[in-house]
Each structure stands twice: as structure tokens, then as C-alpha cells.
Amino acid sequence: MILEHADIRIAPGQQAAFEEALHRGLATVISRAKGFRRGALQAGVEQPERYLLLIEWDTLEDHTVGFRNSPLFAEWRAIVGPFFAAPPVVEHFRLAAPTGQA
């Protein structure tokens, strides 16, 4: 499993509209992508225009090749892209050490 971590900055005052658009994009677009497992959006507390989008993929290539090179990516960007104040910073992570339940 690969975790996509997207650090997103949006324009001030657009939080509610962005959160709705992102939820819609996850439900109607990204959920159809091969290898998609689940996604979550975290909202910044100290910086309310900052978000972390966390998406689990089966493989790195499911995101970087399959999704990014598909028509779904253009659909996704059409929904959420207008809110971006800057291009998102995207990185990928693998689980290094599982933890027990807290």
C-alpha cells in the first residue's frame, strides 16, 4: 500500500466550497481509479487555508501512471483545481513500522 500525501493551499475564505468539491471529487472521480483504496482530507488548524489530502493506493504506479495519465485526472483537476492557491506538493509514503491500536 502507498500513501499519497498532498499538501494543498487554497485561497482564503474558500474552505467550505473546497471541502465540498474535494468530497465530490473523491466520491465521483478518484473512487473509480484502479488501485484506489480510500481517501481522507485533513484541515489545518493554525493555517485554515492549508489541507492535507491522504489517499491510499494499491501501488505507486496506480497513482503516478494509471490515475495521472487517465481522463479521470483531468476530471479531478477540473473539480478541485480552481481552489488551489499554488500547485499541491505531492509525496508518496510506504508503511515502515505498523503500530498497535491506541
Side-chain angles (χ1 to χ4, degrees):
M1 190 273 302
I2 295 296
L3 178 65
E4 171 193 356
H5 171 282
D7 189 340
I8 301 170
R9 311 297 171 109
I10 66 166
Q14 296 295 306
Q15 291 89 339
F18 171 70
E19 290 173 18
E20 184 280 323
L22 193 126
H23 176 73
R24 183 168 28 94
L26 277 172
T28 65
V29 179
I30 293 185
S31 63
R32 298 180 359 233
K34 178 185 175 293
F36 169 80
R37 290 187 178 192
R38 72 184 127 259
L41 182 66
Q42 301 288 320
V45 175
E46 292 83 9
Q47 299 177 56
E49 293 84 24
R50 184 177 182 197
Y51 289 87
L52 295 179
L53 174 60
L54 305 171
I55 299 179
E56 292 181 8
W57 298 93
D58 286 339
T59 68
L60 178 63
E61 292 75 19
D62 283 336
H63 177 234
T64 60
V65 177
F67 177 67
R68 291 304 265 321
N69 292 324
S70 76
L72 292 174
F73 183 70
E75 287 182 52
W76 164 251
R77 286 306 287 256
I79 294 169
V80 298
F83 294 96
F84 296 163
V89 176
V90 178
E91 296 179 295
H92 299 92
F93 296 84
R94 61 171 176 74
L95 183 62
T99 61
Q101 296 291 340

